[in-house]
Amino acid sequence: RSGEMAKSTQLTDNEVFRAYATYTAIVLLKMMLMSLVTAYYRLTRKAFVNPEDTASFGKGDSAKKYLRTDPDVERVRRVHLNDLENIVPFVGIGLLYALSGPELSTALLHFRIFTGARILHTFAYLIPLPQPGRGLSWAVGYAVTFSMAYKVLKTVLLL
Amino acid sequence: RSGEMAKSTQLTDNEVFRAYATYTAIVLLKMMLMSLVTAYYRLTRKAFVNPEDTASFGKGDSAKKYLRTDPDVERVRRVHLNDLENIVPFVGIGLLYALSGPELSTALLHFRIFTGARILHTFAYLIPLPQPGRGLSWAVGYAVTFSMAYKVLKTVLLL
Amino acid sequence: RSGEMAKSTQLTDNEVFRAYATYTAIVLLKMMLMSLVTAYYRLTRKAFVNPEDTASFGKGDSAKKYLRTDPDVERVRRVHLNDLENIVPFVGIGLLYALSGPELSTALLHFRIFTGARILHTFAYLIPLPQPGRGLSWAVGYAVTFSMAYKVLKTVLLL
């Protein structure tokens, strides 16, 4: 059927869309990784937020002392939230951008720089590197998303 | 026009995409429901964070006492944030997965397990069930998204 | 190639999709703006959360006093999180809705009301306006997303 063809063509044959799919999968997996890092720090630092999570450490006061905040746990949680705030716009605007017919080389440049910047941002936040390391890596990703949004609005604007 | 046809065909005739659309709408509505549950707990527990939200309870100190955190409110807020952290990757990676040409039965399996796991996760968190109830339901949804990402990268990889 | 044509047709020729792309770019940019507003308040209120961010204000106790929460910073952060909670469902469900073949005028009505409501919500939260200003603007955006989800499920339901 022609519909099926158009569909399978879309992802398999369109190189810009394949690049978008590749880098979107990578940054979303990177974001998901933050859940595991948070769990790792919660378990090794013994710092939990839900009473039911400390039940295996005993009952009453002996378990209650593990209901606390830990600086390392809070730091990973901030990375995770920052990922949500920045990767969600990339995924949404990036899809529209990929469908707006950019050159493959230009699209790859956008996707690669964004992905690299977000990976750097994670390391800069977790190590942590002195500023402006984290600030700059954040700004680069932000600028890439803004550049894609500009191209989308220039191409499709219908208010 | 052939473009229109390709478009209308896409969603109406492609069964994998229809399944994706159905389950995505369901999990996003489930996530949105958390806003209403938060509002319900804020109103019944009288626990607010914005001064302007307590104005109807009086002025000055009589209203100020409602600016407080409540364990039930904080619990729903954690469910909501956990939904964002897990449903956003599902929606993004799931779209790419649906367009990568999986078998309908395999796709339905992924979508159904993810949706079931996230509904279980919500109940496990809110009741709350003893661990590892919540942990397992979280891990199942996480594994499903990871499996879809693997299929996407295997099919479209263009770095 | 026919695949390329179907693709370029999709975004460039389909008016509903162009409207979706326009309003999605706008609300995602609005959400991204919250990062800059947060940074502005952190710098002007001198209220930071990461020790490495206060290094330029000196060492030891002289820098430590800037590691604090500030009501204005926390307020913008709540706007940002509320945006994530509401704009993510709009972007996801809106895409499915745009592909489900709605009338252009109906689709524009949904997109415009949602975008207007979220912009009002931001002002209502930041100024802040007395309730129910913020509550109503939130509810209007919520109802629009719900209406689109209903149309999607009615059109494509495949469980």
Side-chain angles (χ1 to χ4, degrees):
Chain A
R1 283 211 318 275
S2 86
E4 286 289 281
M5 219 160 49
K7 163 134 309 306
S8 75
T9 311
Q10 202 166 44
L11 191 61
T12 320
D13 289 4
N14 185 299
E15 291 190 313
V16 171
F17 198 85
R18 282 178 53 202
Y20 167 74
T22 301
Y23 286 97
T24 288
I26 290 171
V27 290
L28 286 175
L29 287 170
K30 189 226 82 63
M31 184 172 93
M32 286 171 69
L33 187 62
M34 294 304 104
S35 297
L36 295 184
V37 180
T38 302
Y40 171 80
Y41 278 121
R42 284 205 182 282
L43 289 166
T44 55
R45 268 62 168 168
K46 289 199 172 36
F48 300 91
V49 66
N50 296 299
E52 66 269 26
D53 299 353
T54 64
S56 61
F57 301 121
K59 286 194 183 290
D61 287 346
S62 67
K64 232 172 216 168
K65 68 181 173 200
Y66 300 122
L67 293 177
R68 58 189 190 83
T69 59
D70 173 271
D72 292 327
V73 172
E74 297 308 306
R75 187 172 278 276
V76 191
R77 294 184 65 224
R78 290 196 295 276
V79 179
H80 205 161
L81 187 57
N82 195 283
D83 272 352
L84 272 170
E85 292 170 356
N86 289 278
I87 290 175
V88 162
F90 171 81
V91 171
I93 291 172
L95 173 67
L96 307 173
Y97 171 75
L99 296 174
S100 73
E103 288 293 319
L104 177 61
S105 57
T106 316
L108 277 172
L109 198 68
H110 280 81
F111 301 156
R112 284 172 184 159
I113 293 175
F114 181 87
T115 304
R118 292 310 302 179
I119 291 171
L120 277 179
H121 178 269
T122 303
F123 281 105
Y125 215 146
L126 288 181
I127 292 176
L129 295 182
Q131 287 283 30
R134 191 184 89 235
L136 280 180
S137 58
W138 172 83
V140 168
Y142 195 88
V144 168
T145 307
F146 200 85
S147 164
M148 296 194 303
Y150 175 77
K151 169 73 162 73
V152 168
L153 289 175
K154 213 182 57 173
T155 311
V156 308
L157 192 70
L158 192 156
L159 280 166
Chain B
R1 285 211 316 277
S2 87
E4 286 288 281
M5 218 161 51
K7 164 135 307 305
S8 74
T9 310
Q10 204 165 42
L11 191 61
T12 321
D13 289 5
N14 185 298
E15 290 190 312
V16 171
F17 198 85
R18 283 176 54 201
Y20 167 74
T22 301
Y23 287 98
T24 289
I26 290 170
V27 290
L28 287 175
L29 287 171
K30 189 227 81 62
M31 185 173 91
M32 288 171 68
L33 188 62
M34 295 304 104
S35 297
L36 295 184
V37 180
T38 302
Y40 171 80
Y41 278 122
R42 283 206 184 282
L43 289 166
T44 54
R45 270 62 171 169
K46 289 199 174 34
F48 299 92
V49 66
N50 296 299
E52 67 268 26
D53 299 353
T54 62
S56 61
F57 301 122
K59 286 192 183 289
D61 288 345
S62 67
K64 229 173 218 170
K65 68 180 173 201
Y66 301 122
L67 292 177
R68 58 186 190 85
T69 58
D70 172 90
D72 291 326
V73 171
E74 296 309 305
R75 187 172 278 274
V76 190
R77 294 184 65 225
R78 291 197 296 276
V79 179
H80 205 160
L81 187 57
N82 195 282
D83 272 352
L84 272 170
E85 292 170 358
N86 290 278
I87 290 175
V88 163
F90 171 81
V91 171
I93 292 172
L95 173 67
L96 308 172
Y97 172 75
L99 297 174
S100 73
E103 288 294 318
L104 176 62
S105 57
T106 315
L108 276 172
L109 198 68
H110 280 81
F111 301 155
R112 284 172 183 159
I113 293 175
F114 181 87
T115 304
R118 292 309 301 179
I119 292 171
L120 277 179
H121 179 270
T122 304
F123 281 105
Y125 216 145
L126 288 181
I127 292 177
L129 294 183
Q131 286 283 30
R134 191 184 90 234
L136 281 180
S137 59
W138 171 84
V140 168
Y142 196 88
V144 167
T145 308
F146 200 86
S147 164
M148 296 193 303
Y150 175 76
K151 169 72 162 72
V152 168
L153 288 174
K154 212 181 56 174
T155 311
V156 307
L157 193 70
L158 192 157
L159 281 166
Chain C
R1 281 210 318 278
S2 86
E4 287 288 280
M5 219 162 47
K7 163 134 309 305
S8 74
T9 311
Q10 203 167 42
L11 192 61
T12 320
D13 290 3
N14 185 300
E15 292 190 310
V16 171
F17 198 85
R18 284 177 54 203
Y20 167 74
T22 301
Y23 287 98
T24 288
I26 290 171
V27 290
L28 287 175
L29 287 170
K30 190 226 81 63
M31 185 172 92
M32 288 171 68
L33 187 62
M34 295 304 105
S35 298
L36 295 183
V37 180
T38 302
Y40 171 79
Y41 278 122
R42 284 206 183 283
L43 289 166
T44 54
R45 269 63 170 170
K46 289 199 173 35
F48 299 91
V49 67
N50 296 299
E52 67 269 25
D53 299 354
T54 62
S56 61
F57 301 121
K59 287 196 184 287
D61 288 344
S62 67
K64 231 172 217 170
K65 68 180 172 201
Y66 301 121
L67 293 177
R68 57 186 191 84
T69 58
D70 172 90
D72 291 327
V73 171
E74 297 308 307
R75 187 172 279 275
V76 190
R77 295 184 64 225
R78 290 197 296 275
V79 179
H80 206 161
L81 187 57
N82 195 282
D83 272 353
L84 272 170
E85 292 170 356
N86 289 278
I87 289 175
V88 163
F90 172 81
V91 171
I93 291 171
L95 173 67
L96 308 173
Y97 171 75
L99 296 174
S100 73
E103 289 293 319
L104 177 60
S105 57
T106 315
L108 277 172
L109 198 68
H110 280 81
F111 301 156
R112 284 171 184 160
I113 292 175
F114 181 87
T115 304
R118 291 310 300 180
I119 291 171
L120 277 178
H121 178 270
T122 304
F123 281 105
Y125 216 145
L126 289 181
I127 291 176
L129 294 182
Q131 286 284 30
R134 192 185 89 234
L136 281 180
S137 58
W138 171 84
V140 168
Y142 195 88
V144 167
T145 307
F146 200 86
S147 165
M148 296 193 303
Y150 175 77
K151 169 73 163 73
V152 168
L153 289 174
K154 213 182 57 174
T155 311
V156 307
L157 193 71
L158 192 156
L159 280 166

